[in-house]
Amino acid sequence: MEIVFIGSGNIASHLAKAFHANGNIIRQIYSRTLAHAQTLARDVNAAPTDSLKHLVPDADLYIIAVADDAIPSVIRQLPKTLKGIVVHTSGATSLDILQEFQHFGVIYPPQSINKHIDTDFSKISFGVEANTEENLRLLFNTLKSIAPKTFACNSQQRLALHVAAVIANNFSNALFQMAYDILQHEQLDFELLKPIILETAHKVQYHPPYETQTGPARRGDYKVIDKHLEFLSQQPEERKIYQLLTDFIIKRYQK
């Protein structure tokens, strides 16, 4: 398959290299900054460009791998006569944003990807969506060659997956930082929490999170909860978050 990448950042870098290693031809790499396009293009034997008007018109697949807020601008500049399937990689952007093209779809990985850190696509699930069954089949088979856990989904499922990924990844990381700050304030090392963090992550690999919930809110231990809230009385934002999550857990397990 001949592929054009529109973008040279985190996901574009990993996908381009994976597809190239799997025998696909990477025709072009586009970036607003030519030097960035050139860097990735050298790795995958592709032609670099900083002009969307100069994209080859006859590739099999065009992958828009840019920030969500840049997708509409890129689409406006793309020739609508592109012959291949045009896809974006966003979890929260509509499939219909691409409807001016004849063939279009979405390939979305619910994963935080950094081009400077190795990524094993064999462990990542890609949600695939397309405007026709034939395009879905082509995208599914193309992705499955590098990411065996690829699955078909609709827009609502993809958005749900994106929301869930933000909660599980971004929100949990923010809570890790909150815990880090609390410990630092008392001259305690964050290393003390790493075993329980790893244990929690390990348990949800094998059990539904509902079954593995522990803690004072799960037990309905209001004396401990009150002590925690008093401890956080000088940190109103952290106290509010603690109270909201505590209330959420209590209501969930009182049903």
Side-chain angles (χ1 to χ4, degrees):
M1 179 168 282
E2 296 188 355
I3 305 172
V4 170
F5 277 88
I6 301 163
S8 61
N10 294 322
I11 189 167
S13 295
H14 280 295
L15 278 176
K17 291 173 184 178
F19 279 130
H20 176 67
N22 200 50
N24 296 280
I25 297 171
I26 311 302
R27 290 281 298 275
Q28 280 180 311
I29 302 291
Y30 161 83
S31 175
R32 290 180 300 176
T33 305
L34 183 59
H36 294 169
Q38 290 170 332
T39 298
L40 179 55
R42 280 195 295 269
D43 291 336
V44 295
N45 196 28
T49 183
D50 59 359
S51 172
L52 290 172
K53 295 179 181 178
H54 294 156
L55 294 184
V56 294
D58 58 346
D60 300 307
L61 179 60
Y62 297 82
I63 299 178
I64 302 172
V66 298
D68 284 21
D69 59 2
I71 293 174
S73 175
V74 167
I75 291 172
R76 284 194 298 270
Q77 297 176 68
L78 283 177
K80 302 307 181 288
T81 54
L82 297 176
K83 296 180 180 179
I85 306 174
V86 182
V87 304
H88 67 66
T89 60
S90 167
T93 303
S94 169
L95 171 70
D96 292 338
I97 198 172
L98 297 165
Q99 63 185 343
E100 292 184 59
F101 301 98
Q102 182 178 359
H103 306 285
F104 57 94
V106 180
I107 56 173
Y108 165 62
Q111 181 74 20
S112 180
I113 294 175
N114 187 308
K115 65 181 177 181
H116 302 298
I117 299 174
D118 289 341
T119 294
D120 184 356
F121 282 133
S122 70
K123 298 179 180 178
I124 298 175
S125 302
F126 274 81
V128 177
E129 187 177 2
N131 67 317
T132 69
E133 288 297 324
E134 177 62 15
N135 287 336
L136 180 64
R137 183 186 65 80
L138 288 170
L139 289 176
F140 186 87
N141 290 337
T142 299
L143 261 296
K144 204 166 181 65
S145 67
I146 64 168
K149 293 186 177 181
T150 293
F151 66 100
C153 66
N154 59 39
S155 292
Q156 182 72 8
Q157 290 171 325
R158 177 163 50 86
L159 182 58
L161 183 58
H162 189 257
V163 171
V166 167
I167 292 170
N169 180 40
N170 306 132
F171 289 2
S172 64
N173 192 69
L175 291 174
F176 293 155
Q177 183 61 49
M178 191 170 85
Y180 180 98
D181 293 339
I182 289 169
L183 292 177
Q184 286 286 296
H185 188 265
E186 301 298 330
Q187 291 81 50
L188 292 169
D189 197 322
F190 186 66
E191 289 288 332
L192 296 168
L193 288 185
K194 289 184 179 178
I196 196 171
I197 290 171
L198 290 174
E199 175 64 15
T200 300
H202 177 76
K203 285 190 289 189
V204 298
Q205 306 301 313
Y206 304 99
H207 306 280
Y210 183 88
E211 295 179 1
T212 63
Q213 185 70 54
T214 61
R218 172 67 178 87
R219 300 189 302 270
D221 191 338
Y222 294 99
K223 288 184 179 180
V224 170
I225 291 169
D226 287 343
K227 284 185 179 180
H228 290 177
L229 290 171
E230 182 180 359
F231 177 84
L232 294 170
S233 60
Q234 301 303 310
Q235 299 168 272
E237 289 299 319
E238 287 82 354
R239 190 179 191 278
K240 182 178 180 181
I241 292 169
Y242 183 100
Q243 184 71 72
L244 285 170
L245 291 174
T246 294
D247 290 346
F248 176 82
I249 295 170
I250 289 172
K251 290 176 182 177
R252 176 63 60 90
Y253 288 92
Q254 282 183 344
K255 291 181 180 179

